[in-house]
Amino acid sequence: MSAIDQLFTELRSKNRKALMPFVTAGDPDLDFTSAVIQKMVGSGASLVEVGIPYSDPIADGPVIQASYTRALENNVKLAEILNMLGTVAPQVSAPLVTMVSYAIIYRHGLEKYADELVQRGVSGMIVPDLPVEESSRLSEECRARDLSLVQLVTPTTPPDRALRITETSSGFLYYVSVAGITGERTELPADLVERVAWLREQTPLPVCIGFGISQPEHVRLLFPVADGLIVGSAIVRRVAKAVDSGREKTLDEVGKYVASLVAALK
Amino acid sequence: MSTPSDQSSAQVPDAAGRFGDFGGRYVPETLVHALDLLAQEYETARGDANFQAELDELLKNYVGRPSPLTFARRLTEHCSGAEIWLKREDLNHTGAHKINNTLGQALLTMRMGKKRVIAETGAGQHGVATATACAHFGLECIVYMGEEDIRRQAPNVFSMKLLGAEVRPVTSGSRTLRDAINEAMRDWMGSVESTHYILGSVVGPHPFPQIVRDFQSVIGRETVEQCRTQFKGLPELVVACVGGGSNAAGMFYPFIEHQDVALVGVEAGGRGNEPGQHASPLTYGRPGVLHGSFSYVMQDEDGQTCDVHSMSAGLDYPGVGPEHSYWKSTGRVSYTSCTDDEAMHAFDTLARLEGILPALESSHALAQAMQLAGKRSTDERIVVCLSGRGDKDASEIARLKGESFG
Ligand SMILES: Cc1ncc(COP(=O)(O)O)c(C=O)c1O
């Protein structure tokens, strides 16, 4: 059983839900990323997604794109990111997963990437540009190491295909709330609750919703039908203020924001 | 005589979009269903005689096909070697090969019941060709173009606007073709149910590399026929420039089975072979993933796409179509590169000796052909794909030469 499986087994047994914030590694530097991860877990996050900066992120909106660009301009390297995760993972109670382009994993080597996650105590990965048809090799590498390979279902995924994806995903299933790129949205699609509720009945896998979520009202609306909620751009936008507003103040703000979303989960 | 023998090439890609190891579909789940529908629609269209007839009629009476195969007499004398023949895609409506693909994809757009089209463009030729097809059929058209390319291909930007398209400047990354593709993909992520993305080269996720190759193959099919009538045989050598690789794929594909015809793809050598100075992934890169496809690419050791350089906006791209990677791996096509200076010299030479202004992209193929011609005997023939005309480049050439324009 992977750490993520354990997390959701425990949450389900207590009838609780997960808040899963996202942060870009290396924005503005890895020390700060490490501090943000600890702060978010300390404020009630159940799992943290760590974005590995990529030069051509086609699923990402302006906020996350800009954070990747800043991190890469500061010359952050994959090896350093993995080392940072290795240091922070034992210090936090929540599992960590990397959000990473297949371009990066392929270049690094599938086995090597999987081995290094295990060595660093990272629990899995989300590969947003790797649809199920292309994922069998990576899936095997992950299975062999008890790493979770989280796959995505979107509003454009036909139902039969969604079922196929639930069978290959591990850890949880990432339900993308909108057809579109990452970014905060004021309105979420009207049929979102219904779609997720349907999917959650089809699979024993935990279902978590991401993309567009930023407000406590979103959290209150969605948590009853999901196992967890993922918040990305709203965190990244706050973290981006570290340079101008100061690190302590930014950390404090991120912590309070995460706590406010966690509070809305109940 | 050549014999049709290499059957394997006729069977790529497979159902998963693989050309050997290359190709595939590395895209967000949001796009997968639309790509499935596109692949299905294309399969049906391909077997539909009416679709083919409609496209043929457009190519003949709207584009002006077949484009001529011109013997370059004075250029041949100048190089003192093999005969040089030019396949004149520059004479197509809108001045390049790109229109062959955009008309085909515009017909597919309408078959799918979509009314909005997006496209990326580098040199602006694909943008103009997409805007043209959309005007012709009454489709809404939005073109993403890097700011650097908007600067160096200004005449095409204005043409697109005149044709009723909206040109959206892209300010991320290197502000060139690669970033324009990223931005078009992002638009498509949110608009995929109502919008078709007319991708302009043999790159991207399956089925684009196949669709674009097939629509461009009219170039090679005509050339085979024209060679047989005009010089009673096939050429020894066929040369084309490779950006994403669509004019080259369209020219080469019908020749693949003719094993005696040597095929040469020419990438942009830029200012030299140091990283960042060229745009030659097949020559200096390695296999990796970019823009939804597994193919040769310029990446650093972490898998980040590298900045590349070419004076020619249409070749200034760090990736290449997967079928070219496949042809490189089978050895059927050889790939090389020409520098900015060599291409500029070829541009000047063709202008003065033949009265033809070639596109800077096409000038790379020409430069290679001129070098090869000199090493070959006078009874051999080289066909060059003159993929486009150079009018769009006039002001940029003036700037590069330090002359005033106008
Ligand atoms: C005239 C011309 N030739 C060649 C190219 C390069 O594209 P491809 O390699 O897809 O033919 C372009 C692209 O803009 C072009 O305008």
Side-chain angles (χ1 to χ4, degrees), chain B residues 142-205:
Chain B
I142 288 142
V143 180
Y144 290 92
M145 187 170 190
E147 266 193 341
E148 166 64 5
D149 293 338
I150 287 181
R151 182 194 64 71
R152 56 184 168 170
Q153 308 279 241
N156 277 340
V157 178
F158 193 59
S159 298
M160 285 184 261
K161 290 178 184 162
L162 293 176
L163 291 161
E166 181 193 341
V167 180
R168 292 196 183 158
V170 176
T171 55
S172 55
S174 53
R175 300 168 188 222
T176 58
L177 180 55
R178 158 191 158 203
D179 311 284
I181 295 179
N182 287 340
E183 229 27 68
M185 291 271 190
R186 287 180 192 127
D187 180 314
W188 211 29
M189 288 280 290
S191 63
V192 65
E193 313 223 35
S194 64
T195 298
H196 178 57
Y197 178 14
I198 300 191
L199 193 44
S201 192
V202 288
V203 300

Side-chain angles (χ1 to χ4, degrees), chain A residues 21 36-48 92-96 258:
Chain A
V36 170
I37 293 171
Q38 296 178 60
K39 186 74 178 184
M40 295 196 299
V41 176
S43 308
S46 297
L47 180 152
V48 177
V92 293
S93 54
L96 306 179
V258 168

Side-chain angles (χ1 to χ4, degrees), chain B residues 89-90 95-98 121-127 153 156 177 200-203 212 216 219 240-250 266 312-316 320-321 324 358-363 385-390 392-393:
Chain B
E89 293 299 300
D90 61 315
H97 65 294
K98 299 288 183 185
T121 196
Q125 290 300 129
H126 175 61
Q153 308 279 241
N156 277 340
L177 180 55
S201 192
V202 288
V203 300
V212 180
Q216 290 295 358
I219 304 173
C241 68
V242 179
S246 68
N247 86 91
V266 187
S312 136
L315 304 184
D316 198 355
V320 68
H324 288 290
L360 284 179
E361 291 78 17
S362 324
S363 301
C385 187
L386 207 75
S387 54
R389 67 179 182 222
K392 69 180 175 65
D393 296 312

